[in-house]
Amino acid sequence: AKTPAAEASATEAAEAPDAGGAPDAGGAPDAGGAPHASLASDAGEAAATAALSAEIEKARAREDELLRALAELQNVSRRRKQEMEMSIVYAQESLIRGLLPVLDDIERALEASKDRGGDAFRAGLAMIQDRLWRTLEKEGLEAIRPSGGPFDPNLHDAVAQRPTADQSPDTVLEVMLPGYRLRGRVLRHAQVIVAGAPQAPGAAEEQS
């Protein structure tokens, strides 16, 4: 029979943990799981970077489209402004062309009455001419009166040639009808008489 002391020792020995026993295989950590988790994280970051790059490219493409559309809108606005300005210029040009014969008539009337210096009618006509001319001049009208200058086919029409030894050939001797230009654009060429080479004395005798 066991004594009470022996039974207590046996009970303590049975309840003591087995120091040499191997730990439960199910409780040990899985050392191979860490690399798999790192690879999955890297793949997720790469996918997110690729998606972000694609969105950036889309945004850049959209920005380019908007910039092209804005440039086209500015070009259309500029063209419309130029067309509007040209239409205004053409309308003014048509109006001023219609006034040129009026200027000619006033000038002829003043020339015909130049000996009547104190005449009230002539003075009033001169005032009208001055006021009309100042108004047209503000709109950009310029007179072409090249008397004494060289002949320019871009500005003048030669209606006659007068042989002379006093001026070099192709010098404008007289302006028969003044020309006009509006903002650099010729509305009407000046009609002029130009100098020609003087005739030799023998040629003059033959013609006589």
Side-chain angles (χ1 to χ4, degrees):
K2 293 182 180 179
T3 62
E7 290 179 357
S9 298
T11 301
E12 290 176 359
E15 292 178 357
D18 186 1
D24 186 6
D30 186 2
H36 291 299
S38 178
L39 290 175
S41 176
D42 292 344
E45 291 180 0
T49 301
L52 181 60
S53 298
E55 291 298 327
I56 292 174
E57 291 299 325
K58 288 180 181 179
R60 287 176 178 172
R62 182 59 177 167
E63 182 182 9
D64 291 340
E65 292 177 0
L66 291 175
L67 290 176
R68 285 194 295 268
L70 179 60
E72 181 63 23
L73 182 61
Q74 290 175 344
N75 290 334
V76 170
S77 177
R78 190 180 301 111
R79 285 195 297 268
R80 287 183 178 176
K81 182 179 179 181
Q82 291 175 350
E83 291 172 358
M84 185 177 298
E85 290 176 352
M86 291 305 299
S87 64
I88 293 174
V89 169
Y90 289 145
Q92 290 178 335
E93 181 178 316
S94 177
L95 175 62
I96 292 175
R97 278 182 187 275
L99 290 174
L100 296 184
V102 178
L103 290 174
D104 297 336
D105 291 341
I106 294 176
E107 189 166 351
R108 291 190 190 101
L110 290 173
E111 180 66 21
S113 61
K114 62 182 178 180
D115 296 333
R116 299 160 55 184
D119 186 74
F121 176 78
R122 188 179 189 279
L125 193 60
M127 185 181 299
I128 293 173
Q129 181 195 42
D130 181 66
R131 184 172 298 178
L132 178 59
W133 177 248
R134 281 186 295 171
T135 300
L136 295 175
E137 197 173 27
K138 288 179 182 178
E139 297 300 324
L141 186 67
E142 301 174 62
I144 303 174
R145 299 177 183 271
S147 182
F151 176 77
D152 185 351
N154 296 317
L155 301 174
H156 316 142
D157 281 337
V159 297
Q161 189 177 60
R162 184 184 301 162
T164 179
D166 298 332
Q167 298 286 348
S168 59
D170 292 334
T171 298
V172 176
L173 299 178
E174 185 178 350
V175 178
M176 303 298 294
L177 189 67
Y180 294 96
R181 57 186 170 188
L182 180 65
R183 298 189 184 94
R185 180 185 176 92
V186 177
L187 298 182
R188 187 178 75 186
H189 290 69
Q191 297 181 12
V192 300
I193 297 176
V194 297
Q199 294 181 345
E205 290 177 1
E206 289 178 0
Q207 289 181 357
S208 61

